[in-house]
Structure formats: structure tokens, C-alpha cells
Amino acid sequence: RKKQTVISWPKDELDLSDELATHLREDLKTRDIIVGREMEIDRVNRLDIHIAVFSRDNLGRPKDSMETTIELKCCWNRELDTAMESQLAGRYLSANGCRNGIYLIGWFSCATWNDSSDTRKQQVPTISIDEARKKFSKQAVEESVKTSFRVASVVLDTRM
């Protein structure tokens, strides 16, 4: 009997954002935390994920909020090296008054991604996930100093 090869490929950015937002909503639902997905900040710009945490006054009413914007990219995105500055800090944090941002990268690069017709695989950087974490962490520190926003990076191990 001939062994069948299973073709495997990663999720796209929208699917990964949807799954992350669903997970965050489920995980944080009992903590007065609101997780928004694809929130519109103007006619052109849409945030991937927006999180708002509300404190409560002595009567239990919501008051001050602390907010974070998450910009998500997959490791093959052509703007991977520039979107932290151009999109997260330059557009989203600047436009919506939020001072905190997370640049989240889904790192799918692995041997089981074996669909040779998938052109995204050719866009993946040749660095390791550890090197990517160091690189984008350094970039987040530099962006935070330059802009006075609080920017962090997360390289999520989404390898199959």
C-alpha cells in the first residue's frame, strides 16, 4: 500500500487573529476585560485586536480603562520588519489614544509546512524563532523610546 503524503500549511493572519481574540475573550470574560476584534478607528484603519480593562469605583461602576492594541502579523508578511513602527505605533496607537501596543507575530516556520505551492513559505525569514524574539524585542524597546508608547513584541510559537 502506498503511503499518502498529508499536505500541511499554516493559518492565515485573519484566522489566527480570530482564534486569538476568541481565546482571550473566553479566558478573560470574568475579569471586566473587553476584547474587540477588527475594530475600526477610522475609515481606513482597523485594529486587529483591542483590549480594554476597566477598574471599578467603590459602588462597582466601571471607571478608568487601561487599553492595549495588538497588531498581528504572520512570519511571512512582507511588512514584518516595518509594521511595528508604521502600523502599530504610526497609525493605530497614534490615532486611537491608546498608549500600549503589542506586536504579535505568529511564527509558523517548520518542516511540516510542506505545501510547495504555498508562496508564503518563501517569504519566511531564515532566522530562528529565538533570533526573531530577540530582534523584535529590541525593535519594541527602540520604538517605545522613540515614540513614548509602551510597545512590546511577542513571537508566538505556532509551528505545526
Side-chain angles (χ1 to χ4, degrees):
R1 216 171 174 194
K2 193 173 185 182
K3 188 176 178 180
Q4 275 190 308
T5 302
V6 176
I7 295 178
S8 179
W9 62 89
K11 296 182 178 307
D12 65 21
E13 285 180 7
L14 293 175
D15 289 336
L16 183 57
S17 289
D18 287 342
E19 283 197 26
L20 180 60
T22 298
H23 172 76
L24 289 170
R25 273 190 208 105
E26 194 60 34
D27 195 43
L28 304 173
K29 69 182 174 187
T30 61
R31 300 185 183 140
D32 293 329
I33 298 173
I34 298 169
V35 178
R37 172 81 179 93
E38 285 288 328
M39 295 179 59
E40 190 171 309
I41 57 173
D42 58 40
R43 293 183 66 94
V44 177
N45 296 310
R46 298 175 72 83
L47 306 175
D48 284 341
I49 299 173
H50 187 81
I51 300 173
V53 180
F54 294 90
S55 60
R56 296 200 175 266
D57 66 15
N58 60 346
L59 298 175
R61 297 175 297 207
K63 58 176 197 166
D64 305 322
S65 70
M66 179 179 222
E67 300 177 48
T68 299
T69 296
I70 300 174
E71 173 61 19
L72 187 139
K73 294 289 181 220
C74 288
C75 58
W76 59 80
N77 190 295
R78 292 172 196 234
E79 298 174 328
L80 185 65
D81 289 336
T82 59
M84 184 188 301
E85 177 183 8
S86 66
Q87 285 183 284
L88 180 59
R91 260 191 265 164
Y92 306 142
L93 297 180
S94 296
N96 74 0
C98 179
R99 310 292 304 159
N100 305 296
I102 298 172
Y103 190 62
L104 192 143
I105 301 165
W107 199 262
F108 287 94
S109 182
C110 64
T112 59
W113 182 1
N114 59 4
D115 182 357
S116 60
S117 67
D118 191 340
T119 57
R120 299 175 300 173
K121 189 170 184 177
Q122 295 146 13
Q123 307 285 114
V124 175
T126 57
I127 61 176
S128 71
I129 190 170
D130 291 330
E131 291 168 322
R133 286 179 172 144
K134 289 174 188 164
K135 173 183 176 175
F136 290 104
S137 178
K138 181 178 184 239
Q139 186 179 352
V141 168
E142 291 168 355
E143 195 63 33
S144 295
V145 169
K146 183 170 71 174
T147 62
S148 77
F149 297 128
R150 291 182 62 195
V151 178
S153 72
V154 174
V155 179
L156 187 63
D157 189 348
T158 50
R159 294 176 288 185
M160 303 173 278

